[in-house]
Amino acid sequence: MNENPAVRRLADWDAERLRDLADAHETPTYILDLGRVRENAARLREAFPDADLAYAVKANTTNAVLETLEATGVDAECAAAGEVKRALDAGFDGERIRYTAVNPPDRDLDYISEVARAHDIVVTVGSEDSLDRMAERGFQGQLCVRVNPGVGAGHHAKVQTGAEPKFGVPYDRATAVVERAREVGDLVGIHAHAGSGISGDDLSAHEEFVARMGDLAREVGDLEFVAVGGGFGVPYHEDEPPLDLHAVAAATREALGDVSARMAIEPGRYFVADAGVLLATVNTVKETPETTVVGIDAGMTTLIRPALYDAYHAVRSLEPDVPRKRVVDVELAGPVCETADVLARDRPLPEPTRGDLLAIGNAGAYGYEMASNYNSRPRPAVVALDHGDDRLVARREDLTDLTRLEH
Ligand SMILES: *Cc1c(COP(=O)(O)O)cnc(C)c1O
């Protein structure tokens, strides 16, 4: 038996354990298996032994995940001042933190220039303005330039960053900005992130983008690292094969070509997606002329990916009598008054009844992280599994939490 399989499917989770957790913690609740997070880190490390490996923390910034990954030795890739603060609080040394600015508010840069000085954080700038603004704050530390490679990749237009002008300095301006950065501080790297969702069939776009970074690295010379982003896909569909990490690693190295700088990668979702499931309870079953609507207590404020990216998440009934039930096509709808608040359409499920417990798969990345209070919905709880134990790592919000910031 493979002790660290390339993917953990929703079907692999122990239904009885999940039912016990739902009994103990109610729903909606995210379950996060920290052991699986470690396994994902180990497979990445094994496939990319010679690369700088960072976790793009925005996929899941709960302290439990950050502390777990800190202990595995990976670095932290942060996209906002708040993420840098969380990484420092979780125990990452400054030398292991990279901050990548995307149109950073002044307040972010004030904080970053303070902590970057004290902790030796690498600051990645994605525009000449960001460079000037760091220089204005007297920053002379380690810098990296984010480049827009002009090649996008990803499972949905909304996650393709490589060709979106918002991200990075235009490729043909990169050399000039690198030179400028060398005047301001210590230029240590160049960076690009093409988007999210590198899959087995998608490697040509990935290779094209990495090759452009290799060309640029040779042109500007004298770098410590070339960061080629994250975006390592996970199989959200049950029948999708897992990513062949060794093939991605080989293709990436090959495409980068001969550079003296180290290669740096920064996956986010790959570390955490299949380590998480979302538990939800059926509260309404309604026959309509179009479909059977199954209302549940989790919606777009709990897991927004279906509404935001038309994302697919596997759904499984955790009821013990599932084998005896007939399968029907359902629409799985949340409690929010928005048409987009549908977690799945035309989904075959063992005929749900009120009170049934459901699990939604691959919910460890961009799930809890994107949860909101829209419709004055309290955010869900998060329970971490570790070494056979479970512990509440984020409590469920209650109704009084909703107004706590208001005067
Ligand atoms: C979001 C992000 C990543 C991680 O993307 P995943 O799809 O979660 O791997 C990596 N780098 C940057 C700059 C990002 O913004």
Side-chain angles (χ1 to χ4, degrees):
M1 204 186 92
N2 184 349
E3 305 239 312
N4 188 354
V7 62
R8 178 185 287 179
R9 307 275 181 187
L10 181 55
D12 299 333
W13 290 75
D14 180 350
E16 204 180 311
R17 177 101 198 265
L18 293 177
R19 281 201 302 273
D20 288 347
L21 290 166
D23 281 345
H25 299 281
E26 304 184 330
T27 61
T29 291
Y30 278 98
I31 307 296
L32 262 177
D33 186 341
L34 300 178
R36 182 62 188 164
V37 174
R38 283 185 205 101
E39 288 178 6
N40 290 335
R43 279 198 322 289
L44 283 163
R45 172 58 72 211
E46 200 244 330
F48 291 88
D50 48 356
D52 288 357
L53 176 59
Y55 168 51
V57 305
K58 77 179 191 289
N60 189 320
T61 55
T62 47
N63 190 53
V65 168
L66 295 183
E67 284 185 355
T68 299
L69 286 172
E70 192 284 324
T72 69
V74 308
D75 297 342
E77 160 65 34
C78 302
E83 292 182 1
V84 170
K85 172 153 191 336
R86 281 177 183 269
L88 287 167
D89 289 350
F92 284 91
D93 280 342
E95 305 90 77
R96 290 171 58 197
I97 296 176
R98 277 189 286 138
Y99 163 71
T100 299
V102 180
N103 301 332
D106 278 339
R107 203 176 289 114
D108 278 38
L109 291 191
D110 291 344
Y111 173 79
I112 293 297
S113 57
E114 280 290 320
V115 297
R117 230 189 312 269
H119 297 279
D120 224 17
I121 290 167
V122 175
V123 175
T124 300
V125 293
S127 68
E128 293 176 72
D129 279 312
S130 294
L131 187 57
D132 292 341
R133 292 162 73 205
M134 287 306 286
E136 282 162 18
R137 286 167 172 78
F139 180 80
Q140 300 180 326
Q142 298 186 86
L143 282 165
C144 170
V145 173
R146 179 170 186 169
V147 179
N148 189 307
V151 186
H155 58 81
H156 188 280
K158 286 190 184 159
V159 299
Q160 299 183 3
T161 49
E164 161 59 52
K166 167 175 170 175
F167 299 104
V169 300
Y171 191 80
D172 59 7
R173 287 284 305 149
T175 316
V177 179
V178 163
E179 289 316 318
R180 224 350 236 117
R182 283 180 168 143
E183 289 161 20
V184 171
D186 179 15
L187 190 274
V188 290
I190 55 173
H191 170 282
H193 169 65
S196 290
I198 299 169
S199 71
D201 347 311
D202 211 27
L203 284 186
S204 63
H206 176 68
E207 284 162 348
E208 186 187 341
F209 139 73
V210 175
R212 301 199 95 195
M213 293 305 288
D215 290 343
L216 183 61
R218 283 180 286 277
E219 194 179 319
V220 301
D222 193 19
L223 296 167
E224 289 179 20
F225 67 83
V226 183
V228 295
F232 294 61
V234 298
Y236 283 100
H237 286 265
E238 297 94 324
D239 54 359
E240 229 176 301
L243 195 62
D244 180 346
L245 275 187
H246 287 274
V248 175
T252 308
R253 263 185 229 106
E254 167 82 25
L256 195 59
D258 191 20
V259 292
S260 53
R262 293 188 309 276
M263 174 166 91
I265 56 167
E266 51 191 39
R269 93 185 54 233
Y270 194 90
F271 281 98
V272 286
D274 72 354
V277 295
L278 170 61
L279 300 178
T281 305
V282 174
N283 53 39
T284 307
V285 179
K286 183 170 72 176
E287 296 298 339
T288 72
E290 299 84 13
T291 183
T292 302
V293 178
V294 174
I296 59 173
D297 60 2
M300 63 188 288
T301 58
T302 333
L303 176 67
I304 202 177
R305 297 190 68 257
L308 190 60
Y309 309 129
D310 298 318
Y312 178 98
H313 284 265
V315 180
R316 174 181 167 200
S317 172
L318 297 172
E319 294 305 308
D321 59 349
V322 151
R324 293 190 299 281
K325 288 192 173 183
R326 114 190 132 92
V327 171
V328 291
D329 277 348
V330 306
E331 171 178 302
L332 208 62
V336 177
C337 194
E338 285 288 339
T339 309
D341 185 35
V342 171
L343 280 128
R345 289 180 203 277
D346 302 321
R347 191 63 67 86
L349 267 190
E351 196 168 25
T353 51
R354 205 186 327 148
D356 280 5
L357 182 64
L358 303 181
I360 296 158
N362 271 318
Y366 307 106
Y368 184 66
E369 195 65 26
M370 289 188 173
S372 80
N373 286 132
Y374 179 48
N375 260 216
S376 287
R377 302 225 62 86
R379 284 181 299 172
V382 183
V383 172
L385 309 183
D386 203 8
H387 303 298
D389 289 334
D390 61 89
R391 71 189 150 98
L392 187 66
V393 294
R395 74 160 169 84
R396 178 184 316 290
E397 286 179 330
D398 59 29
L399 295 182
T400 60
D401 287 319
L402 296 171
T403 50
R404 69 179 183 256
L405 301 181
E406 292 174 35
H407 293 293

